[in-house]
């Protein structure tokens, strides 16, 4: 090969190298653009996934809160389902107690009837007790406006002020919730104005 052929060959090789380098630069810049585009898509996808995870966690928490509220509502419904029914039975208890208070317990003619009323009252109170209904009979206790309704205040020598000296009508509660306050007579202290 002559020197001229070698120079031509070198020029051709250099042109080929320049062409390959140009193609490589084009491919590299295309690849860089594609990588930048893919990184942007990846970031957008990561943000979307994070947002969806947050939404799922919030939804899960809301479902758990709803489940807890429903459970509490069901528990309260079970606990206080007898509220209306128990309130309907309280006048029956009152009437049975009034009948016993008015009955002549010494008379032979009414002895069987008094025993029957006592048994009926006892059975009624037992059934109410099993259902969570408890009587409030606060005689001798200190007046509590959350559980008692003062019907009158009177001076009683030797009685503590604000103590309950008589119960006109028992109160009742259902599983700790007041059904009816006890109607009571309260002792007033010396010099206390009850008209205030």
């Amino acid at each position: 090969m002559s020197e001229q052929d070698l120079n031509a060959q070198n020029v051709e090789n250099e042109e080929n190298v320049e062409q390959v380098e140009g193609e490589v630069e084009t491919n590299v810049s295309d690849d860089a653009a594609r990588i930048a585009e893919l990184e942007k898509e990846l970031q957008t996808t990561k943000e979307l996934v994070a947002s969806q995870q947050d939404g799922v966690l919030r939804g899960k928490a809301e479902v758990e809160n709803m489940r807890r509220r429903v459970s509490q509502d069901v528990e309260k419904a079970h606990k206080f389902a007898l509220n209306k029914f128990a309130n309907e039975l309280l006048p029956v208890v009152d009437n049975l107690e009034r009948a016993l208070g008015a009955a002549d317990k010494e008379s032979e003619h009414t002895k069987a009837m008094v025993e029957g009323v006592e048994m009926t009252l006892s059975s009624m109170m037992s059934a109410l007790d099993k259902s969570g209904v408890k009587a409030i009979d606060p005689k001798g206790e200190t007046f509590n406006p959350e559980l008692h309704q003062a019907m009158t205040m009177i001076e009683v020598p030797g009685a503590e002020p604000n103590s309950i000296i008589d119960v006109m009508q028992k109160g009742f509660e259902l599983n700790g919730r007041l059904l009816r306050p006890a109607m009571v007579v309260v002792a007033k202290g010396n010099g206390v104005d009850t008209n205030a």
Side-chain angles (χ1 to χ4, degrees):
M1 253 188 169
S2 73
E3 195 175 304
Q4 204 178 19
D5 286 339
L6 277 174
N7 281 340
Q9 179 90 26
N10 280 342
V11 168
E12 188 179 320
N13 283 344
E14 285 178 12
E15 287 176 358
N16 285 341
V17 166
E18 285 178 12
Q19 183 180 359
V20 168
E21 284 177 350
E23 289 175 6
V24 167
E25 283 179 19
T26 303
N27 287 342
V28 167
S29 91
D30 286 349
D31 288 347
R34 180 73 178 139
I35 288 171
E37 181 183 323
L38 290 173
E39 284 178 347
K40 186 177 179 182
E41 285 181 23
L42 178 62
Q43 185 61 32
T44 303
T45 303
K46 282 181 179 179
E47 289 171 1
L48 178 63
V49 167
S51 171
Q52 288 176 344
Q53 284 176 333
D54 184 54
V56 167
L57 289 176
R58 288 177 189 271
K60 190 175 182 180
E62 181 63 30
V63 166
E64 194 58 39
N65 287 339
M66 189 178 356
R67 189 175 286 143
R68 185 177 38 80
R69 281 191 304 269
V70 166
S71 175
Q72 288 173 345
D73 289 347
V74 167
E75 182 182 327
K76 284 180 183 177
H78 283 258
K79 198 172 184 181
F80 301 112
L82 296 176
N83 196 23
K84 185 176 180 182
F85 182 67
N87 272 322
E88 295 294 325
L89 290 179
L90 298 184
V92 176
V93 171
D94 295 338
N95 290 334
L96 290 171
E97 288 178 344
R98 281 189 203 102
L100 286 175
D104 182 7
K105 295 178 183 171
E106 302 300 321
S107 170
E108 286 297 321
H109 297 297
T110 60
K111 195 171 189 173
M113 181 189 67
V114 169
E115 286 177 8
V117 172
E118 286 174 343
M119 287 180 9
T120 303
L121 177 61
S122 174
S123 144
M124 175 76 73
M125 293 304 293
S126 175
L128 288 172
D129 188 53
K130 287 177 185 173
S131 299
V133 178
K134 307 280 187 227
I136 300 171
D137 191 4
K139 190 168 186 177
E141 296 177 9
T142 302
F143 177 75
N144 179 351
E146 293 177 4
L147 299 175
H148 313 133
Q149 181 178 354
M151 300 309 290
T152 187
M153 291 182 79
I154 58 173
E155 286 188 36
V156 178
E160 294 247 347
N162 289 328
S163 65
I164 297 171
I165 56 172
D166 193 18
V167 177
M168 300 172 83
Q169 185 180 51
K170 289 181 187 175
F172 287 89
E173 62 183 9
L174 172 62
N175 294 317
R177 180 190 284 177
L178 187 67
L179 287 175
R180 179 180 81 187
M183 294 182 187
V184 296
V185 176
V186 181
K188 67 178 177 178
N190 293 335
V192 174
D193 185 9
T194 60
N195 294 328

